[in-house]
Amino acid sequence: MNKPDPKMVPMREQDPSERRNNFKEVPYGYSLDEAICEAKRCLQCKKPLCIDGCPVGIDIPGFIDLIAKGDLKGSIKKMKETNSLPAICGRVCPQEEQCQKVCILSKMGEPVGIGRLERFIADWEAEQTNREAPRKVASSGKKVAVVGGGPAGLTVAGELAKLGHKVKIFEALHKMGGVLIYGIPEFRLPKKVVEREVEYIKSLGVEVVTSFVVGKLETVDELLNEFDAVFIGSGAGLPWFMDLPGENSNGIYSANEYLTRVNLMKAYKFPEYDTPIIKGKHVAVIGGGNVAMDSVRTALRLGAEEARIIYRRSRKEMPAREEEIHHAEEEGVIFEFLTLPIAYHADEKGWVKDMECLRMDLGEPDTSGRRRPVPIEGSNFKLPVDLVVVAIGNSPNPLIPSTTSGLEIGRKGNIVVDTDTGKTSKKGVFAGGDIATGAATVILAMGAGKAAALAIDQYLETGKW
Amino acid sequence: MKIIVKESIAKDLTKFVIQSPLIAKKALPGQFVVLMVNEAGERIPLTIVDVDKEKGLITIIFQEVGYTTKLLGKLAVGDSLYSLVGPLGKPTEIKNYGKVIVVGGGVGIAELLPVVKAFKKAGCEISSILGGRTEKLVILRDQVKEFSDQLYITTDDGSLGEKGLVIDPLKRLLSESSDWGLVFCVGPVVMMKAVSDLTRGYKIETIVCLNAIMIDGTGMCGGCRVTVNNKTKFTCVDGPDFDGHKVDFNELMTRQKRFLQHEDKSMCKLNKQINNE
């Protein structure tokens, strides 16, 4: 066997100067030839480390081998044995931290582009007009309610349906997808891809109800009268603010509001769509995660002259995916590292006009293992801004924890679960995703959904808790 | 989500009775719904004014002020909303407060009605003050009267009741007696501010029902934030009722103006649509 190319087959992308003016997806995806070429780089390890690196345990060498052999139908089938949402995972998973990180090829160059191949095979299937209908499974006669139509809920629903259980998803918003539809921008995850994956879950027999707020319209306790088990995947939808002076001035958004207006409500198409958005010329986004990157890149696309990331640590500590940071840099985002906002000042009409910041130094490592940022005394400076997006994180949404009896709640408002099974302290009730872990990633939520599905199946079969 | 009844109750004030058995079953006084007129529409919050649990109906009353409410007003009996979610928000705390003054202004009177009913049922003695620019805008007078021990009406132009603002009879009531258990007020922000400023001096518990700009209505977006007692609260999940003495009304008034420029653009679009019809 020839030594594989140390470099991944590059993926063509929209030019940065072009794409910073539109909401179209940034990477174009592989062609068939590119995909086969990349698939052939996989060494087909006897003990594949990549599978262990994947929260949902995809047979990675298996699906890649089938691409290399040109058996695309076989490849997607193999994929869907373990992953119901590959077009989404292929785009938004932090592969470089998971499967690709442990790929043996990274020792001699770049790892196999697992995420890119995953995306390729999912998109290939979507283009087929005669998509294979999912196999109908014999009904178990058991009913499961899933609270929340985001990544955790969709995964658990898909897995349970494949096992023959009757599943109904209750979603609070008017569209399915949770953070995939309201949070992640079009240029990173086109909404039609999410809609396609939701349709697939429905084709497995899953019923979905939108505009249904569990905890208000019906409580989890009431759902238990009708369903044999309930899975709570209601997410971390309670945005944090910093409680700074002037933070409620006009022109200061939470990232959730900013992204929801743009993505779910399509405010970037205002007035064709009716929801407005305030477009800044001098924009500051507070935070260093993926949500901050999504917000700042959105601000550019809405016409910002200057869009800044304000982050209190250094580039090294930034929690965002390397690829997202890189994309933002290419598009011209300005990074203010080691910078902490301490106050906002508004004009006489109540609109934010500048923010006061402090420069920081990195001190000793804190409990997270990252060096703690320490303010430099007297380093105050003012930054003129007309739009600020606060993207420093979210708490678990308290609606369900506060309306469900006998549910153990953690210090941070999360639902306490057994991490292997998603079991809560309440019989028949499982939970997973951000409501259990606090704000995390799409794939971790899917991993939790997958683990919970197995545990729910077992509970439904045996009745044992 | 089908509209069963459509009624014009005053100029630009429209009442819909909408089929929604689940919401009707659960809704309590003070709660609201978030609705969308069509797929491209905004999500807007509206108070649930009445429910018929048996027939599975809810009533909303809205003022056709902006683009979305005007669009909503164009729907007819038999039409369905694109989406409707609720009941949202904390219900108003209903108990026997003793002697209560309720104050309603404009479309706020509609939001007041379910609370007045519930207060009466809980045994409160109710003095109601309703205000509007002119006679026709003092809506639902008979319905509020039915549950009130006293009713006072003010209009800006003097076409009904006494000429002036709701503050005038409120001042008299507060100075005539000292045993008021509660003042409950819903109406324009400037009115709720004036009422709260007045009752603060008398140290009478005052609840206001805030109508902030929202998107999801479940605490997710943080757009409806309001400063209460120097802390940021979300109107949708912490409210909509708050202690009027602790609300930063000036900030709320400023925040309510965030999208005025956008509103002009939307109205422009609406006018074009109407001209093309």
Side-chain angles (χ1 to χ4, degrees):
Chain A
M1 195 176 169
N2 291 333
K3 225 174 156 192
D5 194 319
K7 288 260 186 215
M8 217 184 273
V9 174
M11 184 150 55
R12 289 158 296 122
E13 288 182 344
Q14 247 200 96
D15 185 72
S17 60
E18 187 71 35
R19 71 182 191 236
R20 64 170 277 175
N21 299 311
N22 68 52
F23 277 84
K24 286 184 218 145
E25 195 171 12
V26 171
Y28 290 122
Y30 279 158
S31 66
L32 177 62
D33 290 344
E34 287 165 336
I36 290 179
C37 189
E38 180 61 24
K40 283 184 173 163
R41 288 180 68 231
C42 176
L43 297 176
Q44 294 292 318
C45 304
K46 283 234 164 54
K47 284 185 184 161
L49 299 172
C50 50
I51 301 183
D52 298 335
C54 173
V56 295
I58 298 170
D59 178 358
I60 294 167
F63 96 85
I64 291 181
D65 187 41
L66 289 162
I67 295 178
K69 288 174 176 152
D71 179 5
L72 303 185
K73 221 169 168 175
S75 177
I76 188 69
K77 206 170 157 201
K78 169 75 63 192
M79 169 69 68
K80 289 207 164 170
E81 283 170 10
T82 45
N83 183 0
S84 304
L85 310 168
I88 293 168
C89 291
R91 288 173 166 85
V92 302
C93 270
Q95 291 102 6
E96 60 279 1
E97 291 296 321
Q98 297 173 349
C99 52
Q100 291 178 192
K101 189 178 188 177
V102 288
C103 175
I104 210 81
L105 278 189
S106 31
K107 293 214 165 73
M108 41 192 130
E110 289 178 350
V112 174
I114 299 169
R116 295 173 179 188
L117 290 170
E118 183 179 16
R119 171 189 161 148
F120 165 77
I121 198 63
D123 288 357
W124 172 83
E125 192 205 22
E127 283 161 20
Q128 306 309 302
T129 43
N130 52 345
R131 284 173 79 168
E132 206 173 317
R135 199 162 42 90
K136 289 274 176 260
V137 203
S139 168
S140 69
K142 304 282 185 187
K143 289 165 75 182
V144 183
V146 171
V147 183
L154 287 170
T155 305
V156 84
E159 295 299 314
L160 287 170
K162 284 190 218 162
L163 295 164
H165 306 301
K166 186 93 194 110
V167 187
K168 194 169 179 177
I169 304 180
F170 297 91
E171 165 58 44
L173 287 170
H174 58 281
K175 276 194 178 152
M176 290 288 292
V179 72
L180 305 171
I181 205 111
Y182 75 75
I184 302 178
E186 186 74 14
F187 55 82
R188 203 150 73 81
L189 179 65
K191 299 298 154 265
K192 71 171 199 308
V193 173
V194 180
E195 280 158 20
R196 200 166 82 197
E197 300 287 52
V198 169
E199 284 310 310
Y200 170 70
I201 299 291
K202 280 157 82 173
S203 74
L204 295 169
V206 173
E207 199 186 332
V208 305
V209 193
T210 52
S211 298
F212 193 113
V213 181
V214 174
K216 287 285 182 190
L217 206 49
E218 271 183 18
T219 60
V220 169
D221 292 278
E222 285 168 315
L223 289 177
L224 281 169
N225 295 330
E226 195 191 332
F227 294 90
D228 300 292
V230 175
F231 174 84
I232 303 168
S234 51
L238 195 77
W240 284 341
F241 289 94
M242 294 171 73
D243 282 331
L244 298 179
E247 206 174 23
N248 289 344
S249 303
N250 285 353
I252 304 183
Y253 283 117
S254 74
N256 276 4
E257 181 182 2
Y258 190 64
L259 294 174
T260 300
R261 282 182 181 273
V262 176
N263 299 324
L264 175 71
M265 307 310 291
K266 299 201 170 15
Y268 67 96
K269 292 184 177 171
F270 181 89
E272 182 193 337
Y273 279 73
D274 300 339
T275 301
I277 184 94
I278 295 155
K279 299 175 179 182
K281 289 280 172 222
H282 304 275
V283 181
V285 175
I286 320 299
N290 289 325
V291 177
M293 294 308 135
D294 285 345
S295 302
V296 79
R297 294 173 68 200
T298 295
L300 281 179
R301 283 157 173 80
L302 289 173
E305 285 165 13
E306 278 182 335
R308 285 188 159 77
I309 283 285
I310 312 286
Y311 182 56
R312 64 191 182 122
R313 303 179 196 252
S314 72
R315 191 185 195 285
K316 217 178 85 194
E317 286 87 17
M318 269 189 146
R321 278 183 73 188
E322 179 55 40
E323 186 180 317
E324 309 309 333
I325 302 171
H326 177 66
H327 277 150
E329 283 171 339
E330 280 183 340
E331 289 165 12
V333 169
I334 303 161
F335 288 80
E336 302 280 352
F337 294 115
L338 293 163
T339 303
L340 181 76
I342 53 168
Y344 299 99
H345 303 112
D347 65 14
E348 66 285 356
K349 285 184 174 164
W351 288 83
V352 65
K353 61 172 187 186
D354 62 54
M355 58 190 287
E356 196 172 336
C357 300
L358 276 179
R359 293 288 185 202
M360 312 288 279
D361 233 343
L362 284 183
E364 293 301 307
D366 61 14
T367 46
S368 74
R370 298 179 299 181
R371 291 177 64 193
R372 185 205 305 271
V374 188
I376 302 172
E377 225 174 292
S379 64
N380 304 45
F381 68 100
K382 275 186 182 173
L383 210 56
V385 286
D386 55 4
L387 181 79
V388 176
V389 180
V390 183
I392 56 166
N394 296 293
S395 297
N397 193 307
L399 205 50
I400 288 173
S402 66
T403 55
T404 310
S405 66
L407 209 54
E408 192 188 338
I409 306 303
R411 209 165 40 86
K412 291 178 175 164
N414 55 306
I415 297 176
V416 176
V417 297
D418 174 76
T419 44
D420 293 335
T421 61
K423 272 187 188 175
T424 68
S425 57
K426 189 180 174 77
K427 192 180 175 196
V429 178
F430 298 76
D434 287 2
I435 187 71
T437 56
T441 61
V442 168
I443 190 71
L444 283 174
M446 290 179 56
K450 191 149 179 155
L454 292 174
I456 292 170
D457 180 55
Q458 210 167 40
Y459 168 69
L460 294 174
E461 294 296 316
T462 63
K464 274 190 208 150
W465 188 250
Chain B
M1 285 192 287
K2 205 182 206 176
I3 297 160
I4 305 296
V5 176
K6 179 181 180 180
E7 210 180 290
S8 172
I9 54 171
K11 187 180 179 293
D12 293 336
L13 279 173
T14 306
K15 171 175 143 180
F16 277 168
V17 178
I18 301 167
Q19 206 162 39
S20 185
L22 284 175
I23 298 179
K25 198 172 128 195
K26 284 296 171 100
L28 292 168
Q31 290 191 297
F32 61 91
V33 291
V34 168
L35 60 81
M36 285 175 83
V37 179
N38 55 41
E39 203 269 336
E42 274 185 281
R43 292 170 63 96
I44 59 159
L46 289 169
T47 302
I48 302 166
V49 174
D50 200 5
V51 292
D52 184 332
K53 288 184 203 293
E54 272 166 33
K55 291 186 185 151
L57 304 173
I58 64 166
T59 301
I60 54 167
I61 292 176
F62 56 95
Q63 190 169 17
E64 296 182 32
V65 275
Y67 175 76
T68 299
T69 44
K70 282 196 191 294
L71 210 58
L72 186 62
K74 288 181 157 293
L75 296 182
V77 170
D79 288 344
S80 281
L81 297 167
Y82 173 76
S83 87
L84 176 70
V85 61
L88 299 171
K90 285 186 180 160
T92 299
E93 197 185 336
I94 303 295
K95 61 179 188 191
N96 190 348
Y97 292 91
K99 283 174 68 182
V100 170
I101 303 174
V102 298
V103 187
V107 70
I109 299 172
E111 298 166 21
L112 194 65
L113 186 59
V115 177
V116 175
K117 271 190 200 174
F119 279 168
K120 191 71 214 166
K121 216 174 150 192
C124 302
E125 185 192 324
I126 299 171
S127 298
S128 297
I129 306 173
L130 306 181
R133 281 201 316 279
T134 183
E135 178 185 355
K136 284 188 175 153
L137 294 175
V138 186
I139 56 170
L140 306 171
R141 303 192 287 264
D142 294 339
Q143 287 91 328
V144 174
K145 193 177 176 186
E146 193 187 332
F147 303 97
S148 308
D149 296 274
Q150 282 90 38
L151 175 68
Y152 306 88
I153 292 173
T154 65
T155 47
D156 295 7
D157 63 0
S159 53
L160 185 73
E162 65 183 272
K163 186 172 168 44
L165 302 170
V166 291
I167 277 298
D168 305 327
L170 179 63
K171 269 182 195 159
R172 284 201 307 272
L173 289 176
L174 293 176
S175 59
E176 279 165 17
S177 167
S178 59
D179 54 355
W180 299 106
L182 179 76
V183 172
F184 185 94
C185 176
V186 50
V189 181
V190 57
M191 182 180 126
M192 293 191 282
K193 176 178 166 27
V195 166
S196 301
D197 285 345
L198 180 63
T199 59
R200 188 180 289 112
Y202 291 87
K203 294 198 171 69
I204 296 169
E205 184 183 354
T206 300
I207 299 173
V208 291
C209 179
L210 306 182
N211 190 0
I213 298 169
M214 294 179 188
I215 307 181
D216 62 299
T218 64
M220 192 268 280
C221 82
C224 65
R225 59 198 197 272
V226 54
T227 302
V228 181
N229 207 13
N230 297 318
K231 287 199 176 71
T232 292
K233 296 281 177 190
F234 292 177
T235 310
C236 66
V237 286
D238 299 317
D241 290 353
F242 291 100
D243 179 344
H245 295 157
K246 294 178 177 161
V247 171
D248 183 340
F249 285 106
N250 293 336
E251 180 190 277
L252 180 62
M253 279 188 262
T254 306
R255 287 184 64 76
Q256 291 296 72
K257 291 179 192 151
R258 320 208 275 291
F259 297 106
L260 280 184
Q261 278 183 323
H262 295 86
E263 191 61 38
D264 291 346
K265 260 193 193 169
S266 293
M267 292 306 286
C268 188
K269 173 178 147 188
L270 187 71
N271 289 334
K272 266 188 207 153
Q273 282 167 354
I274 294 168
N275 290 339
N276 288 339
E277 270 168 17

